[in-house]
Amino acid sequence: MKSLGDNAFHLATAIAANAYLVEGRRGLILIDPGLAPNVNRIARELVHHGLSPFHVTDILLTHYDPDHAGSADTWAHRTGARVWIGAADAAILRGEAKPPRTPFRRTMALAGRPKLPHNTTLIEDDTEVVDGIRAVPTPGHTPGHVAFVHRGVGFIGDAARVSPEATLHPGPEFLDTDPVQAAASRALLQTLGIVTICAGHSAPAMRI
Ligand SMILES: [Zn+2]
């Protein structure tokens, strides 16, 4: 677990995509806890650092892909935590909206859809979720993709890749459901005062 400043941490043991933690006022907030095997890995990591996995109060999901959202339901059932996700992505997971029909999305659909617990709050627009953390819709990679901003730390999921110099880059275009929306979301991310950029598939980087 590596400190990112502002009570935010990069979890070292998560596989497949980056998972992050914020120590909130009332408990622990997990961002993108990821695939099912991460549940025990992250729980052990928390215990190793003197934190209780049962103090997780909120799970923030940037989007619905399994490498970000796959274990949210398990965490919610084991801890009672609330889950937060963009409304358009929740509709896809619940079968209320058709998943995007790009070749990549069709392939991903074969892997199954992560479950959402009943205790899920939908993010419709730019809003505060918990402990002053702001959710900012950043569609493009998925229709309901959301970035979370906690003070100067931005958790941007798969809205962009990040260079070691903290510049934002597009990911491979075939991963984006709507590349035009994705470009607009990357431009929006530049305006949010983010100093430490925490992406799903790049090392966290700090603007200097
Ligand atoms: Zn993704």
Side-chain angles (χ1 to χ4, degrees):
M1 195 165 126
K2 191 170 166 228
S3 174
L4 302 164
D6 288 325
N7 296 331
F9 300 86
H10 178 205
L11 295 168
T13 55
I15 55 169
N18 290 323
Y20 299 98
L21 171 77
V22 171
E23 277 196 271
R25 285 191 290 271
R26 289 179 303 106
L28 305 176
I29 300 160
L30 286 179
I31 297 121
D32 285 352
L35 297 173
N38 282 349
V39 175
N40 288 339
R41 297 171 75 95
I42 290 174
R44 277 197 292 266
E45 184 173 352
L46 295 178
V47 169
H48 184 76
H49 288 86
L51 300 171
S52 168
F54 294 105
H55 288 165
V56 173
T57 58
D58 295 88
I59 312 274
L60 312 186
L61 301 176
T62 58
H63 65 292
Y64 76 86
D65 283 334
D67 55 336
H68 297 256
S71 60
D73 187 56
T74 303
W75 274 105
H77 278 102
R78 291 194 188 170
T79 67
R82 274 184 300 187
V83 170
W84 303 79
I85 186 171
D89 278 20
I92 292 168
L93 290 185
R94 289 172 167 163
E96 298 159 4
K98 286 209 167 73
R101 294 192 52 76
T102 62
F104 172 68
R105 292 278 152 217
R106 281 201 291 246
T107 306
M108 286 292 277
L110 300 176
R113 292 195 293 248
K115 280 194 202 148
L116 289 176
H118 293 300
N119 195 7
T120 295
T121 305
L122 305 185
I123 300 164
E124 308 266 4
D125 44 30
D126 193 325
T127 188
E128 183 182 321
V129 286
V130 58
D131 272 351
I133 299 177
R134 177 182 171 195
V136 182
T138 46
H141 178 68
T142 63
H145 193 288
V146 175
F148 298 100
V149 183
H150 168 69
R151 299 181 191 155
V153 185
F155 305 98
I156 67 165
D158 288 356
R161 304 294 164 100
V162 184
S163 75
E165 297 77 33
T167 53
L168 300 184
H169 299 278
E173 193 170 293
F174 73 92
L175 296 179
D176 286 337
T177 298
D178 185 331
V180 175
Q181 265 190 340
S185 290
R186 280 193 300 280
L188 173 64
L189 286 171
Q190 307 276 14
T191 69
L192 301 179
I194 297 170
V195 177
T196 302
I197 313 173
C198 303
H201 300 280
S202 308
M206 189 184 283
R207 287 180 209 261
I208 42 174

